[in-house]
Amino acid sequence: MNLARITIFVSLLLVEFCFANNGNLDISAFGGKPNSDIAKALSSAWTQACASTTPVKILIPGSTYQMSVLELKGPCKAPIEIQIDGTIKAPADPNTMKGAYHWLTIGRVDSITLSGKGVFDGQGANAWKRNDCHKNYKCKGDSMNLGFNFVNNSIVRGLTSKDSKTFHVNVISCNNFTFDGFKVSAPNNSPNTDGIHIGRSTNVNVINTDIATGDDCISIGDGNKKLTIQNVVCGPGHGISVGSLGRYEIEESVEGLLVKNCTFKGTDNGVRIKTWPNSPVKITVSDMHFEDIIMTNVRNPIIIDQEYCPWNQCKKQNPSKIKISNISFKNIKGTSSALEGVVLSCSSGVPCQDIEMDNVDLTFNGAAAKAKCSNVKPKIIGKAPACGDGVSAGGS
Ligand SMILES: *[C@@H]1O[C@H](CO)[C@@H](O)[C@H](O)[C@H]1NC(C)=O
Ligand SMILES: *[C@@H]1O[C@H](CO)[C@@H](O)[C@H](O)[C@H]1NC(C)=O
Ligand SMILES: *[C@@H]1O[C@H](CO)[C@@H](O)[C@H](O)[C@H]1NC(C)=O
Ligand SMILES: *[C@@H]1O[C@H](CO)[C@@H](O)[C@H](O)[C@H]1NC(C)=O
């Protein structure tokens, strides 16, 4: 045999070997060994899977691995599943992340499934120690655990994101993307460790998911549409938040959010919409419905805050130009850890419109919690706190 023939023969053998397990690509066949950096192996397996014209599954078996910064990019020729049953650890030293925005980025693919009982462990403790974002709003963030950019028709099923250096998951410009049975876990004092951030995406679903972390449970950025959050437990953390919006000129409106059958345990906020005063753009926030929610010892169970201005970085005297409309709070029960369980602080420039409270039953120290409202006249159905005294309920 000449060299070319030997090469072809060996290549065929390799292809056969790699597909041997029912057509699955086990990363061990690409050199991905326990207790070693599997970035190269996963990248090679991805290249092969991505070229396949039939669906392929990549397997990361139950063991502990390291992984350096990695990006898996499409477009690919057929659906790909990555089943992760092991624990994958990020570098603990944030300086070795090369300034990467995400530890693992998945971009420009259609029909990818991430599944399994595996864990992405961001080993964030060192990054949290140097995080100064609470006092420096231009702080440079460390890598987020997982980023999905321009990904369509895809699912994350099972899996855990643990101790991310900053946000755990960042979903941007995705369509029809579902998290089911997902889990996020980080200590309540870990800074900026939002569970799932979703922006500029359409038809994202977060269901049957449990998020315990140090910052927002789920945060929703500009341009997002038709998001469903159902059967989700949040806590500890800062709750579900739309925004903040109105800080940058390039922002787009946010419309369509259903939060249903969710529980908040000891979170700073329950459900929140926050916009900056003096916003450079006139966008809208509309069609958001929060229902069947249990609050346990939550500081601000329901809050619309159109004067959101941390670090005093804005001119509070200029009201927000963001119009909030068609928002409902229905069947919301439980305990508030502040007297004002409902705060509807709307813009004096563009008052909130079509805000409804239907059966909102919150207690503070055993008595009914109160509502504080400005620039809004909520429609009250069933039991709900009346907007408090001494507050300007202008607008309509
Ligand atoms: C995802 O869907 C959008 C909108 O339909 C489309 O423009 C984009 O090309 C799709 N991306 C991929 C990777 O299929
Ligand atoms: C959404 O994505 C799922 C998972 O890939 C797929 O089964 C379903 O058909 C997609 N829905 C639409 C409307 O394309
Ligand atoms: C509500 O969510 C919980 C998880 O928090 C789940 O166990 C329960 O089945 C859900 N109820 C309904 C009616 O979907
Ligand atoms: C309010 O939001 C719901 C849910 O998105 C939508 O079906 C309804 O048409 C909206 N109402 C108005 C007046 O826009």
Side-chain angles (χ1 to χ4, degrees):
M1 278 198 277
N2 64 27
L3 194 61
R5 280 189 176 197
I6 292 174
T7 310
I8 288 168
F9 179 69
V10 171
S11 306
L12 284 174
L13 257 182
L14 245 152
V15 165
E16 214 156 285
F17 174 63
C18 293
F19 275 109
N21 189 0
N22 309 321
N24 293 338
L25 304 178
D26 190 314
I27 55 147
S28 64
F30 295 84
K33 301 281 183 302
N35 303 312
S36 72
D37 184 346
I38 60 167
K40 278 207 176 100
L42 183 51
S43 177
S44 307
W46 175 264
T47 302
Q48 188 169 325
C50 195
S52 168
T53 51
T54 54
V56 180
K57 191 194 261 192
I58 296 172
L59 289 175
I60 303 180
S63 252
T64 301
Y65 308 90
Q66 272 85 50
M67 191 173 80
S68 44
V69 173
L70 179 62
E71 181 169 5
L72 302 177
K73 269 198 287 197
C76 300
K77 295 204 163 75
I80 298 176
E81 177 168 354
I82 308 180
Q83 184 180 324
I84 301 141
D85 289 324
T87 293
I88 307 177
K89 295 191 172 198
D93 177 359
N95 295 317
T96 64
M97 303 297 285
K98 302 173 198 154
Y101 203 62
H102 308 122
W103 171 30
L104 174 62
T105 308
I106 295 182
R108 300 191 185 275
V109 276
D110 194 309
S111 304
I112 177 162
T113 301
L114 298 190
S115 65
K117 53 183 195 303
V119 178
F120 287 94
D121 183 351
Q123 303 211 87
N126 292 321
W128 305 336
K129 268 184 232 153
R130 71 177 192 180
N131 184 300
D132 64 350
C133 293
H134 59 289
K135 49 181 194 233
N136 171 15
Y137 91 115
K138 285 181 175 157
C139 63
K140 198 201 144 310
D142 278 305
S143 312
M144 308 181 194
N145 266 3
L146 304 172
F148 298 94
N149 297 333
F150 300 95
V151 175
N152 298 339
N153 306 315
S154 292
I155 304 178
V156 174
R157 187 181 288 119
L159 297 175
T160 296
S161 175
K162 178 173 185 281
D163 294 348
S164 184
K165 292 179 172 64
T166 52
F167 291 14
H168 283 86
V169 184
N170 190 30
V171 178
I172 302 292
S173 301
C174 296
N175 280 306
N176 182 28
F177 195 118
T178 298
F179 292 84
D180 187 359
F182 185 58
K183 203 174 155 187
V184 170
S185 127
N188 64 356
N189 59 354
S190 56
N192 293 104
T193 53
D194 292 34
I196 306 177
H197 177 80
I198 304 161
R200 303 216 168 199
S201 298
T202 305
N203 282 315
V204 175
N205 308 292
V206 180
I207 55 178
N208 308 318
T209 287
D210 199 338
I211 299 177
T213 192
D215 208 310
D216 290 341
C217 174
I218 297 173
S219 56
I220 298 134
D222 83 285
N224 206 69
K225 294 185 167 70
K226 296 187 185 168
L227 169 62
T228 300
I229 298 171
Q230 199 163 357
N231 305 353
V232 169
V233 178
C234 294
H238 296 177
I240 293 178
S241 185
V242 177
S244 62
L245 296 168
R247 192 166 146 202
Y248 305 105
E249 278 169 26
I250 48 149
E251 291 181 4
E252 293 168 11
S253 295
V254 184
E255 69 181 64
L257 168 65
L258 175 66
V259 177
K260 193 175 162 72
N261 185 41
C262 293
T263 302
F264 294 79
K265 294 178 179 168
T267 50
D268 268 17
N269 305 286
V271 293
R272 171 163 67 157
I273 299 171
K274 57 181 178 184
T275 75
W276 292 68
N278 199 28
S279 31
V281 283
K282 283 189 188 176
I283 56 171
T284 62
V285 171
S286 62
D287 304 354
M288 307 206 158
H289 305 284
F290 303 91
E291 60 187 75
D292 304 331
I293 293 173
I294 296 170
M295 304 281 180
T296 307
N297 198 27
V298 173
R299 203 170 67 198
N300 296 302
I302 294 175
I303 175 166
I304 294 177
D305 179 7
Q306 295 210 261
E307 294 191 339
Y308 181 74
C309 185
W311 321 285
N312 285 317
Q313 289 293 337
C314 53
K315 297 192 176 117
K316 266 203 177 188
Q317 64 272 29
N318 296 339
S320 171
K321 295 190 196 81
I322 297 180
K323 171 111 185 169
I324 298 179
S325 67
N326 191 18
I327 314 290
S328 68
F329 304 97
K330 187 176 178 185
N331 296 330
I332 302 194
K333 299 181 170 45
T335 53
S336 169
S337 60
L339 175 63
E340 280 154 354
V342 178
V343 174
L344 305 176
S345 170
C346 294
S347 168
S348 59
V350 276
C352 295
Q353 232 168 29
D354 295 321
I355 311 293
E356 194 176 287
M357 282 199 280
D358 180 358
N359 201 15
V360 173
D361 187 0
L362 297 164
T363 60
F364 167 70
N365 280 345
K370 297 205 180 310
K372 185 173 95 171
C373 313
S374 49
N375 306 307
V376 58
K377 282 182 182 158
K379 180 177 177 191
I380 309 263
I381 305 168
K383 185 182 161 129
C387 275
D389 32 303
V391 292
S392 57
S396 57

